[in-house]
Every structure is written in structure tokens, then in C-alpha cells.
Amino acid sequence: METETVLRVPAGTSLVEWYFEQGWTDGLPVVPPTRSQVDAAVEALGGEPDFVECKVPPRYGSLTREVLAINVVMAGCKPEYAPVVRAAMLALSVKAFNLNGVQATTHMAAPLLVVNGPIAREIGMNGGCNAFGSGNRANATIGRAVRLILLNVGGAWPGDLDKSTLGHPGKYTYCVSENEAASPWAPYHVEKGFSPEDSAVFVLAAEPPHSVTNHVANDPEGILDSIASAMTTIANNNAVSSGHCAVVIGPEHARTIAAKGWTRHDVRNYLAMHAYNLFSEISFSGRYGKIYNRNLPKWYKREPDARIPIVPSPDHIHLFVIGGEAGRFSAFIPGWGHMSSPVLRSIETAAQPKAPVCVDGTCYL
Amino acid sequence: MRNAPDQLVFDPRGVVETERLARSARVRKLEGLRLAVLDNTKWNANRLLRKTVARLEQNYAFAAVNYYRKESFSKEADPALIRTIAADNDIVLTAIGD
């Protein structure tokens, strides 16, 4: 059955060029969808092509399963990737994420997706070498499908409703899986109350990853001091607008840290305690007049020697083990600030975390 | 290609359901009106708004100038705040102030 989403163009039309001319791409060529490809993606979503999954701000277009499928095919996804894209869009639609703000802000934030659980392995996602880079179809096209939906359905066209001053490369695709096999700790979603057999997607409005190099430390403190150093610039949004962030520990660093008996809980607490600036630093010692900074929590002292933490609590640090087996690197990924809260959502169903579950010294309610 | 069938293409945008809302009546003069000033809490909003009000007051005598603040610059204002502004004022001045 044809719906209003289906149009006709003369035979012989270059479809790649036609989609460019409509303004319905991210700047790269899209895969021109066929009826059978769209139907296969709708089927992977459970059928019912007219079912509205959510509305996508700031344009508030209706994301029906068919529209979702069209964007999934255009991005180059296999049908089995479609449930991951849907889960990500539903996570982005949670009110606390504030997708309207993320889409429109002058800041460079883009939604970061991290996938945990069996589905990441089943569809061949990459949480290993070059995970944040190119080369893996699932990572590349799931992230791209989300971006195409944010553009086409959400209307976040640069300069129009997306007012980002700079943007960042993650606005093409920003999607990885956790390297659960190489991690000495429980997976991220298990820390948050899911079972290891559940699949889940985490979304965070995020700046690009900032590399953390440390080739000398053989203890947790040395490695984590390097990460804390990357966190404590006065320029990232967490430093001046608080909120959530992600920390990515490379497998080599993770093994060194875990070998000393440190848990995820210990790592997050260490970073929360030792990553801070002085208020005099973020207020430029009064050079531009008295600054209160309404974006920071009310309970912080606005005194020159007061410590201003990068995050207001250890739970604002979202810790993942990602990366290749070799290399003593980790990464800090700043968030947008207090204006957006990250969301973790089941990929299969609307099941909620079965909290409380305690792993690695953490009980998350 | 003569007589060849057309090709199918797909619109990826989704439907936008809209509702037409009436605009408030425009004021014809500022003199004697109650001015609401809505601060969105952006870095420079308060300073920009206060300087703008000072400039306006050089030319117009407002019956009142009432200051209000959103809880977050990136989120919609509380509907109760909007109702208060609408009930107690004739015009509103706001700015981004990034």
C-alpha cells in the first residue's frame, strides 16, 4: 500500500542526486530506498507502518515506523539495526534528555549512543579498535540513521533550527558499543540494573572524545589523574555548566586499574573527587566583574578558593570500557551540561531496570 | 526510456500536525504600559535586559516594570509563570543573551 511518504519521479532520474536536491541528506549520498527494503525494516520494528513511535523536536515531525524505516534504509542500515535506532530515538524522546534544546543549542553537543548487551554482538558492532572511528557498518549506519531522523523529522538543519556555532564530527554518526569482552568489570547497563542478557542503548548529549594518554602509570591513581586532568579544563561545558559526562577507559588502562582491586564505583568516585577547578579559575579572578554562574549547583561556594567539581556526584560520570586490546589510552567525553540528562533504555522492550542490583561495589537505585 | 515506469521515492520527513493560534493584539504605544522582563538565565541575558530597560525608560514612562526568570534557558518556561506574566503585564521584553 502506498502512503503519502511515497512519491514518483520519472524513470532514469538519478536518485542519489534527487535526494540531495530535496535537502534530505546529511551531506553524504544516501541509499535510495526501495519498497522492499522499507518493508523489511518496518517488519523488523514489528509491522504497523503508521504506528507513531515519537515526535522529534524542534520540528516535531511524527516518527512513524515507516518514516523510521525510510531513514534507516537511507543511512545504509540492515533491517536488524532498526530496533537499535528506534530504542535510541525513544531514549532521546524522554523529557529529561531535552532533545529540543540539544537540537537547537549553539553548543556543539551531539547525541552519543553506546550499546550494551547481546544485540551489539549479534549485529557486529565495534567496541574495539577504532570504535569511535570509521570502518564498522553497524556503528556507522545506526548513528547515521539517528542523525538523518534528527535532520529530516526533527528539522535540525544547520543554521535553521540547529544553531550550533561549530557542530562536531559526531553529528554524522556517534555510535559505539562497550567492549564487554575486554572489560574487567560488569557492563555499564548491568551496573545500572539490567541483566547481562538484556540489550540497552545509552544516550548522552556529548562533546567529542578527548584523548587521555598515560604510558607510564602502573596504578589506578596515575591513570585516573591523567583522566582528571583532561576533565579539569575550564573550557568544557561540564566545568561551567555541570551535568553529566562519559569516561571511556581503554582495555589496557582498565586491566591495570582492576588489577589493584579497584571497581567501577572506585573509579567514578576518584574522578568525581579529584576532577575540579577553583572558583577563581572559572570566574577569571574577577577580571570581567563579579560572576555568580547560575549554571552551577546552588550549594557550591562562590569563593575564590572553593573547589568546583566537574560533576556534582559520581553518578554523573558514565563509565565505559571501550577500545582495542593494545594501547594505553582512555578518553573523556564532556556532556552538554545540567540542561540534559542521559537516558539508558532497553532495546527489546520498554522493560525498566530491575534495580537494585549491586555490582563492583555499586548499588544503583 | 520511453514508456518506462516511474521510480518510487520516499519522503523521510514525517508529518507535522499543526494548530493555528491567534496572535495577541499589537500595542500601538508603550507609554503607561506594564512591562514584563523575562530573563532566560543565559550568561549575559540579565545585563542585556537591564541595559535595554534603562534605554527604554529614557523615552517611555511605564506603569510598572516586572522582572521574571525562567528556571532553565534551554527549557520551556513554567506555564504558571507564563500565566502570571500574561495576567500582570501588557508587553514582554526578553532576549537570549548568550
Side-chain angles (χ1 to χ4, degrees):
Chain A
M1 189 184 77
E2 293 186 10
T3 69
E4 68 272 18
T5 56
V6 182
L7 311 167
R8 289 178 180 277
V9 296
T13 302
S14 166
L15 295 185
V16 167
E17 292 301 324
W18 187 86
Y19 282 97
F20 271 122
E21 287 162 11
Q22 309 311 307
W24 296 343
T25 92
D26 52 6
L28 295 168
V30 295
V31 175
T34 64
R35 181 78 265 175
S36 63
Q37 287 173 309
V38 172
D39 288 347
V42 168
E43 190 62 28
L45 295 168
E48 297 186 59
D50 295 332
F51 182 86
V52 177
E53 295 283 359
C54 60
K55 294 190 176 183
V56 187
R59 177 173 169 266
Y60 290 96
S62 296
L63 185 67
T64 63
R65 286 181 183 166
E66 180 168 63
V67 169
L68 196 155
I70 292 167
N71 284 279
V72 156
V73 174
M74 288 169 70
C77 293
K78 293 181 177 180
E80 54 265 39
Y81 304 171
V84 182
V85 177
R86 169 174 57 190
M89 289 310 306
L90 293 175
L92 295 174
S93 299
V94 172
K95 189 174 175 63
F97 187 82
N98 187 15
L99 182 58
N100 190 48
V102 174
Q103 289 265 71
T105 178
T106 48
H107 183 240
M108 61 171 56
L112 163 68
L113 280 57
V114 185
V115 178
N116 272 107
I119 200 166
R121 295 185 289 278
E122 289 162 11
I123 64 175
M125 291 191 71
N126 181 22
C129 285
N130 203 45
F132 287 95
S134 54
N136 178 277
R137 180 174 178 179
N139 290 27
T141 62
I142 291 170
R144 188 188 186 199
V146 167
R147 174 50 52 186
L148 285 176
I149 291 167
L150 296 178
L151 291 166
N152 288 329
V153 188
W157 296 104
D160 183 6
L161 297 177
D162 180 348
K163 297 294 188 186
S164 180
T165 308
L166 294 165
H168 78 70
K171 283 196 169 184
Y172 284 100
T173 181
Y174 203 8
C175 176
V176 294
S177 62
E178 185 168 30
N179 194 341
E180 296 180 13
S183 174
W185 299 307
Y188 172 82
H189 70 313
V190 174
E191 180 189 34
K192 301 299 185 195
F194 284 91
S195 93
E197 292 73 36
D198 294 328
S199 294
V201 62
F202 166 84
V203 294
L204 171 74
E207 295 183 10
H210 187 304
S211 178
V212 173
T213 182
N214 185 320
H215 294 259
V216 296
N218 61 0
D219 58 9
E221 291 90 338
I223 293 167
L224 297 178
D225 284 346
S226 288
I227 296 175
S229 173
M231 295 171 73
T232 53
T233 75
I234 62 169
N236 70 60
N237 258 38
N238 289 119
V240 294
S241 296
S242 199
H244 295 256
C245 66
V247 168
V248 173
I249 312 276
E252 272 206 51
H253 278 167
R255 281 197 295 275
T256 299
I257 295 167
K260 300 288 185 182
W262 285 48
T263 64
R264 303 174 64 98
H265 178 76
D266 297 323
V267 170
R268 291 191 292 106
N269 274 276
Y270 187 92
L271 293 173
M273 175 168 279
H274 297 293
Y276 65 87
N277 293 304
L278 298 181
F279 187 71
S280 58
E281 293 169 322
I282 64 166
S283 60
F284 301 92
S285 300
R287 183 174 169 182
Y288 305 106
K290 190 173 173 59
I291 291 175
Y292 176 80
N293 190 339
R294 294 181 286 189
N295 292 305
L296 294 173
K298 292 185 178 71
W299 60 88
Y300 290 4
K301 287 185 176 178
R302 270 71 171 173
E303 296 170 356
D305 293 333
R307 289 184 175 190
I308 304 298
I310 298 301
V311 288
S313 84
D315 284 340
H316 286 72
I317 297 174
H318 300 270
L319 189 68
F320 299 92
V321 174
I322 297 172
E325 288 297 310
R328 299 189 71 78
F329 293 96
S330 291
F332 170 54
I333 304 180
W336 182 33
H338 65 90
M339 303 79 77
S340 173
S341 294
V343 177
L344 176 66
R345 187 179 170 42
S346 167
I347 290 175
E348 296 89 348
T349 66
Q352 295 302 302
K354 304 173 190 71
V357 171
C358 299
V359 290
D360 290 337
T362 298
C363 294
Y364 186 84
L365 295 176
Chain B
M1 299 297 287
R2 209 169 57 177
N3 297 326
D6 293 343
Q7 302 178 90
L8 292 186
V9 288
F10 294 81
D11 186 335
R13 295 174 298 173
V15 173
V16 177
E17 293 166 1
T18 57
E19 178 187 357
R20 187 169 289 278
L21 297 174
R23 250 181 16 161
S24 301
R26 305 290 97 176
V27 298
R28 297 194 176 279
K29 61 178 182 59
L30 299 180
E31 202 69 30
L33 298 183
R34 298 166 301 169
L35 172 67
V37 183
L38 177 59
D39 175 358
N40 70 352
T41 72
K42 274 273 186 184
W43 293 97
N44 297 302
N46 192 277
R47 186 182 303 177
L48 175 63
L49 288 167
R50 287 184 183 275
K51 288 190 173 183
T52 305
V53 169
R55 292 276 292 271
L56 286 169
E57 285 183 319
Q58 289 173 5
N59 298 312
Y60 307 102
F62 295 109
V65 178
N66 300 314
Y67 287 87
Y68 304 92
R69 220 186 83 171
K70 278 174 63 172
E71 274 307 301
S72 169
F73 57 77
S74 72
K75 296 176 186 170
E76 294 157 6
D78 185 341
L81 176 66
I82 299 291
R83 284 195 296 273
T84 300
I85 291 172
D88 297 345
N89 300 277
D90 304 302
I91 52 175
V92 184
L93 175 69
T94 191
I96 290 176
D98 205 0

